[in-house]
Amino acid sequence: MKVAPTSGTPCGRGGLYGRPDPRRSPTKWVRRGGGGATERVSVPVYGDAKDVQFAPTRKKVEALSGKIVKVSGPLVVATGLKDANMADVVRVGEQRLIGEILNMNGDAASIQVYEETSGLGPGAEVVTTGAPMSVELGPGMIEGIYDGIQRPLEKIVEKVGANITRGVEVPALDREKKWDFTAVVTPGTKVEGGDVIGTVPETPVVLHKIMVPPNMSGTITDIRSGSFTVEETVATLRTDKGEDVPLTMVQKWPVRIGRPYKHKYPPKRPLCSGQRVIDTLFPIAKGGTAAVPGPFGSGKTVVQHQLAKWADVDIVVYIGCGERGNEMTDVLREFPELKDPRTGESLMKRTVLIANTSDMPVAAREASIYTGITIAEYFRDMGYDVAVLADSTSRWAEALREMSGRLEEMPGEEGYPAYLASRIAQFYERAGCVTCLGSDKRQGSVTAIGAVSPPGGDTSEPVSQATMRIVKVFWALDSSLAYARHFPAINWLTSYSLYTDSLREFYDKEFGATYMANRTKAMSILQEEAELQEIVRLVGQDALSPADRMTMETARMIREDFLQQNAFITEDAYSSYGKQYRLLDLVLQYDAKCRAALGKGAELNGLFSIGAREAIGRAKMAPQEEYEKVYDGILDEMQSEIDEVVRGGEEQ
């Protein structure tokens, strides 16, 4: 039985990977009831739950199998699969390796295998599961560490040891553990897709909300609180057709299709990262997109780690995509020990880790990005603010390039596939602030931040350029700053944020108009310093006018005393908005008062040597609870010392 391609699943390499048609929804076959019947279900991509339709029941589709005719690294070609669907998950060979159908040519299927294919040969059997690549969504994901296709690495180690064998099958969610389910609706309640029917305290900081699947609606006929596994029935839903559907605490969702929502709206709230160069100069909004490009050793991973540690979000999904294993090890060691400044609990209590390191099969990298963003969308649907940190999208693009080469597709720039830009856009477009499905109109957000690793730091290469076209924040890391031990090594001259205007209302409301004025002033001083550097290189700093020397000194203070942060010192690792505002204001107050004193005849060197100048340099180390008192003291001291320098100049 041949299933014709549907909207959003065009023939060829695209399939579910290609951009879906916004007017129609892709379809999939799902098994219903105990009779083995299958139904064609419309899955909404961007629309709301009204798009969901159920087609007439069709006869059972028997298990489909074929034979391998070609093996080329992670690419396997099998024949005899004419009734298989694009994007289906298949099991390959005796070891039942996990793979995904990329394209169909007659009865020949090109399959991307997510595990090592050594030992496979022509004649081995390939069996399709009849379902697309999906993730399991339910209690137990927080504090978990998964590989690129959502296999729990800790459970795999328990089962087969540290040397992970191929074809190992372990469910993503623990089937034995019981969770305390508390019902929040009563029998007889009418519900729609996305409505919360109960809660589970997954961790001390995350209340897991059990929701009605997006494509269902009806009346709850039975629901009870108690202790259940994720597979046990917690409620029964009677659909509008009169069918009773058992509801469990676990859902499945295809990773390459965005989860539906009611409405997407422009981001208006900033995401506080605790990093001064980000929050003050180049802010990102909750639901926004950002890229962190930089050469080797410039601190991309450290910036990602800092954002994962301190970002003002409810859930963090960290994707280690093709990076070194020791980086994920650092996360696993540090996060349980670090305390969230907002909750006081371990950071791991709100974190999901996806680890697909450089020594793992390259094909699984391609899936890891989609696995992470789908998990993030699930928590977004509960009404949480979620941050997705992908480190790095360049390694993901390299996996695309390898598979494209093995498929013998026409290469684009630098060997990357022609569809590279659309795939990157697909990932970042799943970020945003949305009104979730459900009758309570809760709102959630997904913020996507991807590291980019351009060879030699050359951002003119295809991955960087495709990323810059879609993201609205660009934190350009500079190797020269990193070598000078200036961290975060974000270059203030080449970075930018397009959210500044949309966030202005928030800043004006919280801090008054001074906040944005100070930001503009600081950026202007840093620009002037860059222009004056050319003159200094030619004739030296002593040749500059007092006003220009003041500009150079203030710029140095902004760079060293404000922008530079030490991640190893507790007081400096995280800086709240209030502390950032007051610290920058201190530096600019010093600049303004010194310029006023110069107009009264004060000596420049005398102004540079006052005690308050040194105190400003140490001000960022002030504890969060005491910074206001400390800064007020510095301001008073600064005023009296500058007045004294002015009096000394008048006496002369």
Side-chain angles (χ1 to χ4, degrees), residues 456-480:
D458 179 17
T459 54
S460 63
E461 56 90 39
V463 180
S464 300
Q465 288 298 308
T467 305
M468 287 169 70
R469 281 199 291 272
I470 192 70
V471 301
K472 288 195 170 184
V473 179
F474 191 72
W475 298 318
L477 297 178
D478 193 328
S479 56
S480 62

Short mmCIF file of all heavy atoms in Angstrom, two decimals, residues 456-480:
data_model
loop_
_atom_site.label_atom_id
_atom_site.label_comp_id
_atom_site.label_asym_id
_atom_site.label_seq_id
_atom_site.Cartn_x
_atom_site.Cartn_y
_atom_site.Cartn_z
N GLY A 456 38.95 29.25 11.79
CA GLY A 456 39.81 30.42 11.85
C GLY A 456 39.12 31.71 12.27
O GLY A 456 39.69 32.79 12.13
N GLY A 457 37.88 31.59 12.78
CA GLY A 457 37.15 32.77 13.20
C GLY A 457 36.61 33.61 12.04
O GLY A 457 36.19 34.75 12.24
N ASP A 458 36.60 33.04 10.83
CA ASP A 458 36.14 33.76 9.64
C ASP A 458 34.62 33.68 9.54
O ASP A 458 34.06 32.66 9.12
CB ASP A 458 36.79 33.15 8.39
CG ASP A 458 36.33 33.84 7.11
OD1 ASP A 458 35.78 34.96 7.20
OD2 ASP A 458 36.51 33.27 6.02
N THR A 459 33.92 34.74 9.93
CA THR A 459 32.46 34.73 9.95
C THR A 459 31.84 34.92 8.56
O THR A 459 30.61 34.99 8.44
CB THR A 459 31.91 35.82 10.89
OG1 THR A 459 32.46 37.08 10.54
CG2 THR A 459 32.25 35.49 12.34
N SER A 460 32.66 34.97 7.53
CA SER A 460 32.11 35.05 6.17
C SER A 460 31.75 33.66 5.63
O SER A 460 31.23 33.55 4.52
CB SER A 460 33.10 35.73 5.21
OG SER A 460 34.29 34.95 5.09
N GLU A 461 32.04 32.59 6.41
CA GLU A 461 31.73 31.24 5.92
C GLU A 461 30.22 30.98 6.00
O GLU A 461 29.48 31.69 6.71
CB GLU A 461 32.55 30.21 6.72
CG GLU A 461 32.38 30.25 8.22
CD GLU A 461 31.26 29.37 8.71
OE1 GLU A 461 31.11 28.27 8.17
OE2 GLU A 461 30.52 29.78 9.62
N PRO A 462 29.71 29.97 5.29
CA PRO A 462 28.25 29.81 5.08
C PRO A 462 27.43 29.67 6.36
O PRO A 462 26.34 30.23 6.47
CB PRO A 462 28.15 28.53 4.23
CG PRO A 462 29.48 28.40 3.56
CD PRO A 462 30.48 28.98 4.49
N VAL A 463 27.91 28.91 7.36
CA VAL A 463 27.10 28.67 8.57
C VAL A 463 26.90 29.98 9.33
O VAL A 463 25.78 30.30 9.76
CB VAL A 463 27.75 27.60 9.48
CG1 VAL A 463 26.89 27.37 10.72
CG2 VAL A 463 27.96 26.30 8.73
N SER A 464 27.96 30.77 9.48
CA SER A 464 27.85 32.06 10.18
C SER A 464 26.92 33.00 9.44
O SER A 464 26.07 33.67 10.05
CB SER A 464 29.23 32.71 10.34
OG SER A 464 30.11 31.89 11.07
N GLN A 465 27.06 33.06 8.13
CA GLN A 465 26.25 33.98 7.34
C GLN A 465 24.78 33.59 7.37
O GLN A 465 23.89 34.45 7.50
CB GLN A 465 26.76 34.02 5.89
CG GLN A 465 28.10 34.74 5.73
CD GLN A 465 28.02 36.20 6.13
OE1 GLN A 465 27.17 36.94 5.66
NE2 GLN A 465 28.91 36.62 7.01
N ALA A 466 24.50 32.29 7.25
CA ALA A 466 23.11 31.82 7.30
C ALA A 466 22.50 32.09 8.66
O ALA A 466 21.32 32.42 8.78
CB ALA A 466 23.05 30.33 6.97
N THR A 467 23.31 31.96 9.71
CA THR A 467 22.83 32.22 11.07
C THR A 467 22.56 33.71 11.27
O THR A 467 21.54 34.09 11.86
CB THR A 467 23.85 31.71 12.11
OG1 THR A 467 24.12 30.33 11.87
CG2 THR A 467 23.33 31.89 13.51
N MET A 468 23.46 34.55 10.80
CA MET A 468 23.31 36.00 10.97
C MET A 468 22.06 36.52 10.26
O MET A 468 21.48 37.52 10.68
CB MET A 468 24.55 36.73 10.44
CG MET A 468 25.77 36.57 11.35
SD MET A 468 27.30 37.15 10.59
CE MET A 468 27.05 38.91 10.57
N ARG A 469 21.64 35.86 9.21
CA ARG A 469 20.45 36.30 8.47
C ARG A 469 19.17 36.06 9.26
O ARG A 469 18.16 36.71 9.01
CB ARG A 469 20.36 35.59 7.11
CG ARG A 469 21.27 36.18 6.06
CD ARG A 469 20.83 35.77 4.67
NE ARG A 469 21.04 34.36 4.40
CZ ARG A 469 22.17 33.84 3.91
NH1 ARG A 469 23.17 34.62 3.61
NH2 ARG A 469 22.28 32.55 3.69
N ILE A 470 19.19 35.13 10.21
CA ILE A 470 17.96 34.76 10.90
C ILE A 470 17.92 35.25 12.36
O ILE A 470 16.85 35.61 12.86
CB ILE A 470 17.73 33.22 10.82
CG1 ILE A 470 16.31 32.85 11.27
CG2 ILE A 470 18.76 32.45 11.62
CD1 ILE A 470 15.21 33.26 10.35
N VAL A 471 19.08 35.28 13.05
CA VAL A 471 19.07 35.67 14.47
C VAL A 471 19.07 37.18 14.61
O VAL A 471 19.47 37.91 13.70
CB VAL A 471 20.27 35.06 15.24
CG1 VAL A 471 20.25 33.56 15.16
CG2 VAL A 471 21.59 35.62 14.75
N LYS A 472 18.64 37.66 15.77
CA LYS A 472 18.55 39.10 16.01
C LYS A 472 19.60 39.62 16.98
O LYS A 472 19.69 40.82 17.21
CB LYS A 472 17.16 39.45 16.53
CG LYS A 472 16.08 39.36 15.46
CD LYS A 472 14.82 40.04 15.86
CE LYS A 472 13.83 40.16 14.74
NZ LYS A 472 12.62 40.92 15.11
N VAL A 473 20.39 38.71 17.57
CA VAL A 473 21.47 39.12 18.45
C VAL A 473 22.73 38.39 18.01
O VAL A 473 22.72 37.19 17.76
CB VAL A 473 21.17 38.78 19.93
CG1 VAL A 473 22.34 39.19 20.81
CG2 VAL A 473 19.91 39.48 20.39
N PHE A 474 23.81 39.13 17.93
CA PHE A 474 25.08 38.60 17.44
C PHE A 474 26.17 38.98 18.43
O PHE A 474 26.55 40.14 18.52
CB PHE A 474 25.36 39.20 16.05
CG PHE A 474 26.50 38.56 15.31
CD1 PHE A 474 26.37 37.30 14.76
CD2 PHE A 474 27.69 39.23 15.13
CE1 PHE A 474 27.42 36.72 14.08
CE2 PHE A 474 28.74 38.66 14.45
CZ PHE A 474 28.60 37.39 13.91
N TRP A 475 26.60 38.00 19.22
CA TRP A 475 27.69 38.23 20.18
C TRP A 475 28.98 37.73 19.55
O TRP A 475 29.31 36.53 19.62
CB TRP A 475 27.42 37.49 21.49
CG TRP A 475 26.18 37.95 22.19
CD1 TRP A 475 25.76 39.25 22.35
CD2 TRP A 475 25.21 37.15 22.87
NE1 TRP A 475 24.58 39.28 23.06
CE2 TRP A 475 24.23 38.01 23.39
CE3 TRP A 475 25.08 35.78 23.08
CZ2 TRP A 475 23.12 37.55 24.10
CZ3 TRP A 475 23.98 35.31 23.79
CH2 TRP A 475 23.02 36.19 24.29
N ALA A 476 29.74 38.61 18.92
CA ALA A 476 30.95 38.23 18.19
C ALA A 476 32.12 38.10 19.15
O ALA A 476 32.57 39.09 19.75
CB ALA A 476 31.26 39.26 17.11
N LEU A 477 32.63 36.89 19.32
CA LEU A 477 33.78 36.66 20.19
C LEU A 477 35.07 36.99 19.45
O LEU A 477 35.20 36.72 18.26
CB LEU A 477 33.79 35.22 20.68
CG LEU A 477 32.60 34.81 21.55
CD1 LEU A 477 32.69 33.35 21.93
CD2 LEU A 477 32.49 35.65 22.79
N ASP A 478 36.01 37.54 20.17
CA ASP A 478 37.26 38.03 19.57
C ASP A 478 38.44 37.31 20.21
O ASP A 478 38.61 37.36 21.43
CB ASP A 478 37.35 39.54 19.83
CG ASP A 478 38.42 40.21 18.97
OD1 ASP A 478 39.43 39.55 18.68
OD2 ASP A 478 38.27 41.39 18.63
N SER A 479 39.24 36.66 19.40
CA SER A 479 40.38 35.91 19.93
C SER A 479 41.41 36.84 20.58
O SER A 479 42.06 36.46 21.56
CB SER A 479 41.05 35.08 18.82
OG SER A 479 41.43 35.91 17.74
N SER A 480 41.56 38.08 20.06
CA SER A 480 42.54 39.01 20.65
C SER A 480 42.12 39.39 22.08
O SER A 480 42.98 39.54 22.95
CB SER A 480 42.68 40.26 19.78
OG SER A 480 41.45 40.97 19.69
#
